[in-house]
Every structure is written in C-alpha cells, then in structure tokens.
Amino acid sequence: MSLDDIKSFSKENMAFDPTGHDFLHAQRVAKLAQKIYTEDFKKDETDIGLYVVKAASYLHDTIDEKVTADKKNRLREVRIILSHENIATPAREDILDIIQHMSYSDNIEHHYQLSNEGKCVQDADRLDALGAIGIARAFAYGGHAGQEIYDPKISVKEIKTHDDYRHHKSTTINHFYEKLLKLASSMNTRMGKQEASRRTKYMRDFLSEFQMETGVKDET
C-alpha cells in the first residue's frame, strides 16, 4: 500500500506553513510514531496498523484550524483521498477518527479514547512539541501569532476550555507553562513517556537559563 498520494496531499497543504506545522513536522511525527508503534506494540512492516499510523501522521495537521480556514472542506478532501486508498473500511475510519480527535485542544474539555495506532501518533505529535524542536516551534508559532516573547505583566493562565486555549492573551514563555511542560503527563506509551521526560528536562534547562538571563520568575 502506497502513501504517495497522502504524502503529496500533506505536502501540498503544509509545505510552507510558518507556524511549525509544516510538512517536515508531519515527517518527524510519522517517523517517530512508527518507531513507537513497532517497539511498544511489537508490530512489523506487514501490519495494517502501521499504515494507519503513517497515514494519520501525515494527515493529522491538514485539517487543523491553524493550517486551514475551512476545516469542514479540508476533511472532505481527506475523505476523498482515503477513499482511493486500497484499505479496508475499519482502517480508513480509524485514520479519520485519529486525526479528528488526537489534538491537544480537542482533548481539553473531553478526553477521547484512541486506538493503539492513534495513541502512537498522538504521542509522536506531542513529542515534537518538546525538546529542542519544541522550543524552536514554540517561538515560530508565537512570532506568527504576534505574541511577545515574554511579559512579566501577563500571568500564566490555567487552560480549561478550547476557547481559553485559542483566545486568551499569552506570551511564548507562558505557553511553556500553560501547555508544553504538562505534555509529559499525557503520554500514552512506554516510549512516549520516556522520551517526553528527556525532552521536558531539556526544556526546563532552557527555561532556567532564560530566567537567569532575563530575571523572569519561574512559574513551576
């Protein structure tokens, strides 16, 4: 089963995204999700679940509201792409379920239960928000969104709703405390938890250095 059309669709819609949700992000998620799936669930290259993992990884951000202004129409396009793939209906439906229910924002008010394949993609996506690449992506998104790097007058907010997450006034440094440092506790898989711990430590070291250089209070 080829992923060529799915990869092309992903690249066409994400290649020039300036927020850190570009095609390279999708590639990293696919590679890491595949590694988690094969190691944690002992699957090999012949397993249909591995196709689901790869396809969902490449497609997950194509329908994200940060990437498209018309999520409903983009999802319709994804359904068309998948209808042309030579896969059974359950695999196709699992891919659609994963990409519609794996995001952080969709799980703030309600926790969606994903398949094992979905758990691997979700962990890989969240791992890409941590560590060195996570730091880089955070500042890329913050700049694109017009956020200040930091402002001691803007307090860290506890995010309780999707609306809070999307529309509250924040800074890029606050985003670390409001979301990124909390991701490790949300991991599903053994490998996800181990790698999240390592990457989170790297981010905490960065924030300690940032605090020392700027005098910003550590919010942990």
Side-chain angles (χ1 to χ4, degrees):
M1 291 171 288
S2 173
L3 287 165
D4 290 347
D5 289 344
I6 288 174
K7 289 181 180 179
S8 294
F9 180 81
S10 176
K11 190 170 187 177
E12 176 184 343
N13 288 287
M14 297 169 60
F16 302 107
D17 177 81
T19 72
H21 300 82
D22 54 5
F23 184 67
L24 291 174
H25 164 64
Q27 285 184 315
R28 291 192 301 271
V29 171
K31 182 178 180 180
L32 190 51
Q34 177 181 349
K35 184 176 181 180
I36 294 172
Y37 188 65
T38 55
E39 291 191 9
D40 270 37
F41 296 99
K42 309 303 180 185
K43 302 295 184 178
D44 60 32
E45 290 289 341
T46 64
D47 188 76
I48 183 61
L50 192 57
Y51 175 90
V52 170
V53 165
K54 293 177 183 177
S57 296
Y58 281 108
L59 292 171
H60 77 280
D61 270 340
T62 62
I63 65 168
D64 193 279
E65 56 199 2
K66 297 185 294 296
V67 175
T68 177
D70 190 347
K71 184 173 180 177
K72 184 176 180 179
N73 184 61
R74 182 61 56 77
L75 183 59
R76 181 186 64 81
E77 294 174 345
V78 170
R79 288 183 184 276
I80 292 172
I81 290 289
L82 290 176
S83 71
H84 295 154
E85 294 295 304
N86 184 29
I87 55 174
T89 298
R92 184 180 300 112
E93 291 304 313
D94 192 20
I95 294 168
L96 290 167
D97 182 70
I98 292 168
I99 66 174
Q100 291 179 87
H101 297 116
M102 63 172 275
S103 75
Y104 179 85
S105 60
D106 284 336
N107 283 270
I108 294 173
E109 298 176 64
H110 175 79
H111 177 70
Y112 289 98
Q113 185 64 37
L114 301 174
S115 63
N116 287 338
E117 290 79 6
K119 291 175 181 178
C120 294
V121 180
Q122 187 179 65
D123 278 11
D125 183 45
R126 293 182 178 187
L127 285 172
D128 206 57
L130 298 175
I133 189 63
I135 293 170
R137 292 180 68 218
F139 285 101
Y141 183 81
H144 176 80
Q147 290 181 342
E148 296 177 82
I149 294 176
Y150 76 104
D151 183 344
K153 296 186 179 69
I154 301 177
S155 299
V156 170
K157 181 180 178 66
E158 182 180 358
I159 306 300
K160 295 183 178 180
T161 68
H162 183 276
D163 189 63
D164 284 345
Y165 181 66
R166 289 296 180 212
H167 302 299
H168 76 290
K169 184 174 178 61
S170 188
T171 68
T172 299
I173 289 297
N174 282 10
H175 183 62
F176 285 78
Y177 299 103
E178 291 167 347
K179 172 187 175 181
L180 303 181
L181 295 180
K182 299 178 179 181
L183 291 179
S185 65
S186 71
M187 294 293 162
N188 304 290
T189 65
R190 176 192 57 80
M191 181 180 169
K193 291 173 182 177
Q194 290 178 347
E195 182 63 8
S197 177
R198 188 187 71 81
R199 295 191 185 199
T200 299
K201 180 183 182 304
Y202 184 93
M203 295 183 95
R204 289 190 182 280
D205 289 344
F206 164 79
L207 289 168
S208 294
E209 177 68 18
F210 189 92
Q211 179 188 11
M212 185 180 69
E213 294 179 11
T214 63
V216 173
K217 180 183 177 181
D218 190 340
E219 297 289 345
T220 56

